[in-house]
Each structure stands twice: as C-alpha cells, then as structure tokens.
Amino acid sequence: MSKAMIKMFDPVLTWAARKYQAAVATELKKYGLRYEDLYDPQLNMDIDEAIHRLPQDVVDARMQRLKRAVDCSLKKSYLSKEIQDMQTPYSWYLKETWAEVQAENTEKAMLGTGKDYDRSFP
C-alpha cells in the first residue's frame, strides 16, 4: 500500500478504531471484565506461563472477574450502572509479563533451544 493511501485512510481508520474500542469497553464493563481477561491460557502457552508468573492477588482478581462475568451471563443480567462506571477495561496487568515470556522464547529460539513447555494437538 502506498504512503498516500495510508495517509488518506489514516483518519478514517483512527476514528473507526476509537469507536470500536469504546464499544468493546462498554460490553466489558457490563460484565466487569478487563480486556486481558479474555485471553485464553489453554490456547496460548505463553499466556499461561505469564499468568503463572503474576502475583497471586492479581490471579485471584482475574478469576473473580471471570466468575462474576459467567454468573451475570447465566442470569442474563448486567452489573449495575454504579459498578459499571467503576470498571477499567483497558487497565493492563498481563502485558509486561507476557512480553517478558515472549522475549525469553525469542532468545531461546535464537540460541537453538526449545521452549520449557510445548503442546501438540492431535
């Protein structure tokens, strides 16, 4: 794609991205979730390793948010507006640890060693 096309569509894409992020934040607030709560540790072993490295209180808070979201979903209800206003869906708690795990895996790949963990699907 040429630089002129990128420059032409950049304002539109930026506007659309902001609208999409706001819509996602609204849906996450309804259930009291954070964006990083949606990462599945069973599908990505790096996420699983990063979660294991987090402090226990952060892991417990994540599990509590997930349990509350499942409870709200099963009851087909949302959190009250007061509680929704207190939620911070884009407050990152996993990003730095996940980046460390990815950097370690990149370094191990450059050295020619394998990951400490591996999973193959049949």
PDB file of all heavy atoms in Angstrom, residues 25-47:
ATOM      1  N   ALA A  25     -15.236  -1.626  25.199  1.00  0.00           N
ATOM      2  CA  ALA A  25     -15.170  -1.216  26.605  1.00  0.00           C
ATOM      3  C   ALA A  25     -16.558  -1.231  27.239  1.00  0.00           C
ATOM      4  O   ALA A  25     -16.716  -1.683  28.385  1.00  0.00           O
ATOM      5  CB  ALA A  25     -14.552   0.168  26.732  1.00  0.00           C
ATOM      6  N   THR A  26     -17.563  -0.785  26.515  1.00  0.00           N
ATOM      7  CA  THR A  26     -18.928  -0.788  27.040  1.00  0.00           C
ATOM      8  C   THR A  26     -19.386  -2.206  27.334  1.00  0.00           C
ATOM      9  O   THR A  26     -19.979  -2.475  28.396  1.00  0.00           O
ATOM     10  CB  THR A  26     -19.890  -0.126  26.027  1.00  0.00           C
ATOM     11  OG1 THR A  26     -19.451   1.208  25.792  1.00  0.00           O
ATOM     12  CG2 THR A  26     -21.306  -0.116  26.541  1.00  0.00           C
ATOM     13  N   GLU A  27     -19.105  -3.137  26.424  1.00  0.00           N
ATOM     14  CA  GLU A  27     -19.506  -4.531  26.640  1.00  0.00           C
ATOM     15  C   GLU A  27     -18.732  -5.161  27.796  1.00  0.00           C
ATOM     16  O   GLU A  27     -19.303  -5.923  28.581  1.00  0.00           O
ATOM     17  CB  GLU A  27     -19.306  -5.349  25.360  1.00  0.00           C
ATOM     18  CG  GLU A  27     -20.263  -4.988  24.258  1.00  0.00           C
ATOM     19  CD  GLU A  27     -21.719  -5.209  24.652  1.00  0.00           C
ATOM     20  OE1 GLU A  27     -22.047  -6.277  25.193  1.00  0.00           O
ATOM     21  OE2 GLU A  27     -22.527  -4.295  24.409  1.00  0.00           O
ATOM     22  N   LEU A  28     -17.445  -4.869  27.914  1.00  0.00           N
ATOM     23  CA  LEU A  28     -16.656  -5.423  29.017  1.00  0.00           C
ATOM     24  C   LEU A  28     -17.133  -4.880  30.361  1.00  0.00           C
ATOM     25  O   LEU A  28     -17.184  -5.619  31.351  1.00  0.00           O
ATOM     26  CB  LEU A  28     -15.175  -5.109  28.816  1.00  0.00           C
ATOM     27  CG  LEU A  28     -14.479  -5.850  27.677  1.00  0.00           C
ATOM     28  CD1 LEU A  28     -13.064  -5.330  27.503  1.00  0.00           C
ATOM     29  CD2 LEU A  28     -14.470  -7.339  27.906  1.00  0.00           C
ATOM     30  N   LYS A  29     -17.489  -3.618  30.416  1.00  0.00           N
ATOM     31  CA  LYS A  29     -17.969  -3.010  31.660  1.00  0.00           C
ATOM     32  C   LYS A  29     -19.273  -3.638  32.120  1.00  0.00           C
ATOM     33  O   LYS A  29     -19.515  -3.743  33.321  1.00  0.00           O
ATOM     34  CB  LYS A  29     -18.172  -1.505  31.475  1.00  0.00           C
ATOM     35  CG  LYS A  29     -16.907  -0.708  31.455  1.00  0.00           C
ATOM     36  CD  LYS A  29     -17.201   0.768  31.301  1.00  0.00           C
ATOM     37  CE  LYS A  29     -15.955   1.597  31.323  1.00  0.00           C
ATOM     38  NZ  LYS A  29     -16.245   3.031  31.260  1.00  0.00           N
ATOM     39  N   LYS A  30     -20.103  -4.074  31.199  1.00  0.00           N
ATOM     40  CA  LYS A  30     -21.377  -4.688  31.572  1.00  0.00           C
ATOM     41  C   LYS A  30     -21.163  -5.927  32.432  1.00  0.00           C
ATOM     42  O   LYS A  30     -21.987  -6.249  33.286  1.00  0.00           O
ATOM     43  CB  LYS A  30     -22.174  -5.075  30.331  1.00  0.00           C
ATOM     44  CG  LYS A  30     -22.752  -3.905  29.579  1.00  0.00           C
ATOM     45  CD  LYS A  30     -23.505  -4.391  28.355  1.00  0.00           C
ATOM     46  CE  LYS A  30     -24.041  -3.243  27.542  1.00  0.00           C
ATOM     47  NZ  LYS A  30     -24.732  -3.724  26.315  1.00  0.00           N
ATOM     48  N   TYR A  31     -20.067  -6.629  32.194  1.00  0.00           N
ATOM     49  CA  TYR A  31     -19.772  -7.853  32.936  1.00  0.00           C
ATOM     50  C   TYR A  31     -18.647  -7.680  33.949  1.00  0.00           C
ATOM     51  O   TYR A  31     -18.310  -8.630  34.665  1.00  0.00           O
ATOM     52  CB  TYR A  31     -19.408  -8.974  31.962  1.00  0.00           C
ATOM     53  CG  TYR A  31     -20.557  -9.364  31.068  1.00  0.00           C
ATOM     54  CD1 TYR A  31     -20.620  -8.921  29.758  1.00  0.00           C
ATOM     55  CD2 TYR A  31     -21.590 -10.155  31.539  1.00  0.00           C
ATOM     56  CE1 TYR A  31     -21.675  -9.265  28.940  1.00  0.00           C
ATOM     57  CE2 TYR A  31     -22.652 -10.516  30.735  1.00  0.00           C
ATOM     58  CZ  TYR A  31     -22.688 -10.065  29.434  1.00  0.00           C
ATOM     59  OH  TYR A  31     -23.736 -10.408  28.629  1.00  0.00           O
ATOM     60  N   GLY A  32     -18.027  -6.520  33.986  1.00  0.00           N
ATOM     61  CA  GLY A  32     -16.949  -6.273  34.931  1.00  0.00           C
ATOM     62  C   GLY A  32     -15.632  -6.901  34.544  1.00  0.00           C
ATOM     63  O   GLY A  32     -14.832  -7.257  35.406  1.00  0.00           O
ATOM     64  N   LEU A  33     -15.377  -7.033  33.254  1.00  0.00           N
ATOM     65  CA  LEU A  33     -14.152  -7.669  32.778  1.00  0.00           C
ATOM     66  C   LEU A  33     -13.132  -6.639  32.317  1.00  0.00           C
ATOM     67  O   LEU A  33     -13.462  -5.496  32.044  1.00  0.00           O
ATOM     68  CB  LEU A  33     -14.465  -8.589  31.594  1.00  0.00           C
ATOM     69  CG  LEU A  33     -15.248  -9.854  31.906  1.00  0.00           C
ATOM     70  CD1 LEU A  33     -15.670 -10.529  30.616  1.00  0.00           C
ATOM     71  CD2 LEU A  33     -14.424 -10.796  32.751  1.00  0.00           C
ATOM     72  N   ARG A  34     -11.895  -7.091  32.231  1.00  0.00           N
ATOM     73  CA  ARG A  34     -10.830  -6.330  31.581  1.00  0.00           C
ATOM     74  C   ARG A  34     -10.500  -7.028  30.276  1.00  0.00           C
ATOM     75  O   ARG A  34     -10.751  -8.218  30.106  1.00  0.00           O
ATOM     76  CB  ARG A  34      -9.588  -6.266  32.469  1.00  0.00           C
ATOM     77  CG  ARG A  34      -9.807  -5.413  33.691  1.00  0.00           C
ATOM     78  CD  ARG A  34      -8.523  -5.250  34.443  1.00  0.00           C
ATOM     79  NE  ARG A  34      -8.737  -4.414  35.616  1.00  0.00           N
ATOM     80  CZ  ARG A  34      -7.833  -4.246  36.548  1.00  0.00           C
ATOM     81  NH1 ARG A  34      -6.648  -4.837  36.450  1.00  0.00           N
ATOM     82  NH2 ARG A  34      -8.086  -3.482  37.582  1.00  0.00           N
ATOM     83  N   TYR A  35      -9.898  -6.294  29.364  1.00  0.00           N
ATOM     84  CA  TYR A  35      -9.610  -6.846  28.043  1.00  0.00           C
ATOM     85  C   TYR A  35      -8.716  -8.081  28.149  1.00  0.00           C
ATOM     86  O   TYR A  35      -8.933  -9.074  27.457  1.00  0.00           O
ATOM     87  CB  TYR A  35      -8.966  -5.783  27.162  1.00  0.00           C
ATOM     88  CG  TYR A  35      -8.815  -6.206  25.729  1.00  0.00           C
ATOM     89  CD1 TYR A  35      -9.891  -6.147  24.855  1.00  0.00           C
ATOM     90  CD2 TYR A  35      -7.597  -6.681  25.251  1.00  0.00           C
ATOM     91  CE1 TYR A  35      -9.767  -6.549  23.536  1.00  0.00           C
ATOM     92  CE2 TYR A  35      -7.462  -7.084  23.941  1.00  0.00           C
ATOM     93  CZ  TYR A  35      -8.553  -7.014  23.087  1.00  0.00           C
ATOM     94  OH  TYR A  35      -8.427  -7.423  21.794  1.00  0.00           O
ATOM     95  N   GLU A  36      -7.731  -8.044  29.011  1.00  0.00           N
ATOM     96  CA  GLU A  36      -6.793  -9.158  29.124  1.00  0.00           C
ATOM     97  C   GLU A  36      -7.410 -10.385  29.787  1.00  0.00           C
ATOM     98  O   GLU A  36      -6.835 -11.471  29.705  1.00  0.00           O
ATOM     99  CB  GLU A  36      -5.545  -8.711  29.881  1.00  0.00           C
ATOM    100  CG  GLU A  36      -4.678  -7.778  29.058  1.00  0.00           C
ATOM    101  CD  GLU A  36      -3.441  -7.334  29.792  1.00  0.00           C
ATOM    102  OE1 GLU A  36      -3.460  -7.312  31.039  1.00  0.00           O
ATOM    103  OE2 GLU A  36      -2.463  -7.000  29.131  1.00  0.00           O
ATOM    104  N   ASP A  37      -8.576 -10.239  30.404  1.00  0.00           N
ATOM    105  CA  ASP A  37      -9.272 -11.396  30.957  1.00  0.00           C
ATOM    106  C   ASP A  37      -9.758 -12.325  29.853  1.00  0.00           C
ATOM    107  O   ASP A  37     -10.026 -13.506  30.099  1.00  0.00           O
ATOM    108  CB  ASP A  37     -10.483 -10.959  31.794  1.00  0.00           C
ATOM    109  CG  ASP A  37     -10.079 -10.222  33.058  1.00  0.00           C
ATOM    110  OD1 ASP A  37      -8.930 -10.373  33.506  1.00  0.00           O
ATOM    111  OD2 ASP A  37     -10.935  -9.487  33.604  1.00  0.00           O
ATOM    112  N   LEU A  38      -9.878 -11.820  28.637  1.00  0.00           N
ATOM    113  CA  LEU A  38     -10.392 -12.610  27.523  1.00  0.00           C
ATOM    114  C   LEU A  38      -9.335 -13.521  26.907  1.00  0.00           C
ATOM    115  O   LEU A  38      -9.672 -14.405  26.127  1.00  0.00           O
ATOM    116  CB  LEU A  38     -10.972 -11.686  26.447  1.00  0.00           C
ATOM    117  CG  LEU A  38     -12.087 -10.757  26.911  1.00  0.00           C
ATOM    118  CD1 LEU A  38     -12.524  -9.862  25.760  1.00  0.00           C
ATOM    119  CD2 LEU A  38     -13.258 -11.530  27.467  1.00  0.00           C
ATOM    120  N   TYR A  39      -8.072 -13.316  27.230  1.00  0.00           N
ATOM    121  CA  TYR A  39      -7.023 -14.191  26.712  1.00  0.00           C
ATOM    122  C   TYR A  39      -7.187 -15.577  27.316  1.00  0.00           C
ATOM    123  O   TYR A  39      -7.332 -15.734  28.526  1.00  0.00           O
ATOM    124  CB  TYR A  39      -5.637 -13.657  27.058  1.00  0.00           C
ATOM    125  CG  TYR A  39      -5.268 -12.354  26.382  1.00  0.00           C
ATOM    126  CD1 TYR A  39      -4.428 -11.452  27.006  1.00  0.00           C
ATOM    127  CD2 TYR A  39      -5.727 -12.029  25.119  1.00  0.00           C
ATOM    128  CE1 TYR A  39      -4.069 -10.268  26.399  1.00  0.00           C
ATOM    129  CE2 TYR A  39      -5.373 -10.850  24.507  1.00  0.00           C
ATOM    130  CZ  TYR A  39      -4.546  -9.979  25.144  1.00  0.00           C
ATOM    131  OH  TYR A  39      -4.193  -8.811  24.536  1.00  0.00           O
ATOM    132  N   ASP A  40      -7.125 -16.619  26.465  1.00  0.00           N
ATOM    133  CA  ASP A  40      -7.340 -17.990  26.910  1.00  0.00           C
ATOM    134  C   ASP A  40      -5.996 -18.687  27.130  1.00  0.00           C
ATOM    135  O   ASP A  40      -5.266 -18.936  26.173  1.00  0.00           O
ATOM    136  CB  ASP A  40      -8.163 -18.738  25.876  1.00  0.00           C
ATOM    137  CG  ASP A  40      -8.598 -20.105  26.344  1.00  0.00           C
ATOM    138  OD1 ASP A  40      -8.280 -20.482  27.493  1.00  0.00           O
ATOM    139  OD2 ASP A  40      -9.272 -20.805  25.569  1.00  0.00           O
ATOM    140  N   PRO A  41      -5.686 -19.040  28.371  1.00  0.00           N
ATOM    141  CA  PRO A  41      -4.397 -19.699  28.631  1.00  0.00           C
ATOM    142  C   PRO A  41      -4.306 -21.112  28.070  1.00  0.00           C
ATOM    143  O   PRO A  41      -3.217 -21.652  27.934  1.00  0.00           O
ATOM    144  CB  PRO A  41      -4.295 -19.703  30.163  1.00  0.00           C
ATOM    145  CG  PRO A  41      -5.680 -19.548  30.653  1.00  0.00           C
ATOM    146  CD  PRO A  41      -6.417 -18.788  29.609  1.00  0.00           C
ATOM    147  N   GLN A  42      -5.425 -21.723  27.719  1.00  0.00           N
ATOM    148  CA  GLN A  42      -5.375 -23.077  27.152  1.00  0.00           C
ATOM    149  C   GLN A  42      -4.994 -23.053  25.676  1.00  0.00           C
ATOM    150  O   GLN A  42      -4.502 -24.049  25.158  1.00  0.00           O
ATOM    151  CB  GLN A  42      -6.713 -23.776  27.330  1.00  0.00           C
ATOM    152  CG  GLN A  42      -7.022 -24.065  28.781  1.00  0.00           C
ATOM    153  CD  GLN A  42      -8.349 -24.771  28.963  1.00  0.00           C
ATOM    154  OE1 GLN A  42      -9.171 -24.803  28.050  1.00  0.00           O
ATOM    155  NE2 GLN A  42      -8.551 -25.328  30.124  1.00  0.00           N
ATOM    156  N   LEU A  43      -5.212 -21.937  25.013  1.00  0.00           N
ATOM    157  CA  LEU A  43      -4.884 -21.848  23.597  1.00  0.00           C
ATOM    158  C   LEU A  43      -3.504 -21.268  23.347  1.00  0.00           C
ATOM    159  O   LEU A  43      -2.926 -21.481  22.281  1.00  0.00           O
ATOM    160  CB  LEU A  43      -5.926 -20.995  22.863  1.00  0.00           C
ATOM    161  CG  LEU A  43      -7.328 -21.591  22.808  1.00  0.00           C
ATOM    162  CD1 LEU A  43      -8.280 -20.644  22.112  1.00  0.00           C
ATOM    163  CD2 LEU A  43      -7.318 -22.934  22.115  1.00  0.00           C
ATOM    164  N   ASN A  44      -2.976 -20.515  24.288  1.00  0.00           N
ATOM    165  CA  ASN A  44      -1.676 -19.881  24.116  1.00  0.00           C
ATOM    166  C   ASN A  44      -0.838 -20.170  25.360  1.00  0.00           C
ATOM    167  O   ASN A  44      -1.120 -19.655  26.436  1.00  0.00           O
ATOM    168  CB  ASN A  44      -1.855 -18.370  23.912  1.00  0.00           C
ATOM    169  CG  ASN A  44      -0.567 -17.685  23.533  1.00  0.00           C
ATOM    170  OD1 ASN A  44       0.518 -18.162  23.834  1.00  0.00           O
ATOM    171  ND2 ASN A  44      -0.692 -16.550  22.870  1.00  0.00           N
ATOM    172  N   MET A  45       0.187 -20.981  25.189  1.00  0.00           N
ATOM    173  CA  MET A  45       1.008 -21.382  26.328  1.00  0.00           C
ATOM    174  C   MET A  45       1.817 -20.213  26.890  1.00  0.00           C
ATOM    175  O   MET A  45       2.189 -20.223  28.057  1.00  0.00           O
ATOM    176  CB  MET A  45       1.936 -22.532  25.933  1.00  0.00           C
ATOM    177  CG  MET A  45       1.209 -23.803  25.544  1.00  0.00           C
ATOM    178  SD  MET A  45       0.183 -24.475  26.865  1.00  0.00           S
ATOM    179  CE  MET A  45       1.418 -25.062  27.974  1.00  0.00           C
ATOM    180  N   ASP A  46       2.099 -19.203  26.070  1.00  0.00           N
ATOM    181  CA  ASP A  46       2.798 -18.017  26.576  1.00  0.00           C
ATOM    182  C   ASP A  46       1.915 -17.255  27.557  1.00  0.00           C
ATOM    183  O   ASP A  46       2.393 -16.765  28.580  1.00  0.00           O
ATOM    184  CB  ASP A  46       3.205 -17.103  25.428  1.00  0.00           C
ATOM    185  CG  ASP A  46       4.289 -17.707  24.552  1.00  0.00           C
ATOM    186  OD1 ASP A  46       4.905 -18.704  24.974  1.00  0.00           O
ATOM    187  OD2 ASP A  46       4.517 -17.172  23.455  1.00  0.00           O
ATOM    188  N   ILE A  47       0.629 -17.163  27.258  1.00  0.00           N
ATOM    189  CA  ILE A  47      -0.318 -16.521  28.183  1.00  0.00           C
ATOM    190  C   ILE A  47      -0.389 -17.317  29.481  1.00  0.00           C
ATOM    191  O   ILE A  47      -0.381 -16.750  30.581  1.00  0.00           O
ATOM    192  CB  ILE A  47      -1.726 -16.414  27.540  1.00  0.00           C
ATOM    193  CG1 ILE A  47      -1.709 -15.471  26.355  1.00  0.00           C
ATOM    194  CG2 ILE A  47      -2.767 -15.988  28.557  1.00  0.00           C
ATOM    195  CD1 ILE A  47      -1.544 -14.020  26.720  1.00  0.00           C
TER     196      ILE A  47
END
